[in-house]
Amino acid sequence: MRIAIDATYSVGAALSGVGVYSREILHGLAAAHPEIQWDYFYRSQRYWQATGRRRFLSDHWGNRSAQLFHGLNQRLPTRRFPKQIATFHDLFVLSGDYSTTEFRERFAAQARHAAQSSDLIVAVSAFTASQIEAHLNIPRERIRVIHHGVIPRSLPDLPRENMVLCVGVIQRRKNQAALVRAFRSMPPDWTLVLAGAATGYEAQATLDAIANSGCADRIRITGYLSNEELTGAYARARIFAFPSLDEGFGIPVIEAMAAGVPVITSNRSALPEVAGDAALLIDPDREDDIANALLRLAADAALRDRMAAAGRIHATGFTWANAVRHTWNTYRELAR
């Protein structure tokens, strides 16, 4: 059997969540099924960065001899393969005001085409599956929910610090501005670390919130962190806060739990599904709710210990091996 995959987003050093997903699925499938001929396709923006055997992915021309094609980022070529699967990570561009009008229109056209052209769709959460039904009019029986995994990290032996950590690109959807305003209520020996680049949509609102916070000297934006740097941040943090307004999954929540950091996250989108009972859930629109959760964890070491233990156990249910296995089963189902 011959299977083609859009490997575009697996290339590069500073991988996004979609990039991590692409890399883990590609490598996991190849290792588990060496009997398959895998064709790795790359779009123009990453083709020349790819190494090894590669194919150029064009919308309208090119080799279509593989029996099955998997688009890993809710996008499929115009000229189709015999059978097609698309993975959908989120639809926040359609459900909220979190991007420019131009980007929203382009994203919407690509998402609608991918949904209509897919024989089956992989959704990374039940929440994303519900959005696909609601916004793209796809029946639930064509959707398969396959959760992300978490990469095991070998944490350095570092002492925990009075640090609140938040991981993600600075942007309106991630809601770091509200977190900054809530952080003002924390004791003066605590710091807030925003681990991400200030390059997202309406990032300036967070920068303004820091400037007006009265505690800017205790708030730091790190820019993109390497895997080693991020591992060190997870090892040092005492609290992980992720008050996002809309997530299709939320990998940093599970990463923090696996690292033994008690988690505060939102009570909406996919985050309750991913966090389960192992996090403090807050209303991300209420800064007092975020502040109360921060203060509660800051003042109660026993609660932090209980939540850290619960988070470690909960995170063991999310593995890339499971994601690879369920993805392979989806291929088999479609092949039948």
Side-chain angles (χ1 to χ4, degrees), residues 92-220:
F92 67 82
V93 175
L94 302 183
S95 62
D97 186 17
Y98 304 125
S99 61
T100 64
T101 301
E102 178 186 5
F103 182 82
R104 185 180 301 112
E105 291 174 352
R106 184 171 70 250
F107 177 95
Q110 291 175 351
R112 291 190 180 101
H113 173 261
Q116 295 297 332
S117 303
S118 296
D119 298 287
L120 289 176
I121 290 174
V122 171
V124 302
S125 64
F127 171 75
T128 295
S130 70
Q131 286 197 311
I132 295 168
E133 290 183 84
H135 293 283
L136 301 176
N137 198 30
I138 299 298
R140 185 64 179 81
E141 56 266 24
R142 280 179 54 197
I143 306 172
R144 305 292 179 268
V145 175
I146 302 176
H147 285 150
H148 287 320
V150 61
I151 299 172
R153 296 177 182 272
S154 180
L155 295 180
D157 186 17
L158 299 173
R160 294 286 180 184
E161 303 172 10
N162 285 350
M163 175 173 63
V164 178
L165 175 66
C166 179
V167 174
V169 173
I170 311 301
Q171 56 182 301
R172 177 178 179 180
R173 179 173 61 93
K174 299 294 185 181
N175 206 27
Q176 291 103 334
L179 176 59
V180 167
R181 289 189 289 268
F183 177 76
R184 293 180 300 184
S185 64
M186 289 287 277
D189 60 338
W190 282 77
T191 60
L192 172 62
V193 173
L194 304 179
T199 56
Y201 181 67
E202 295 189 353
Q204 187 62 44
T206 298
L207 302 181
D208 292 343
I210 294 172
N212 298 324
S213 66
C215 55
D217 59 325
R218 296 191 287 120
I219 302 173
R220 183 165 62 98

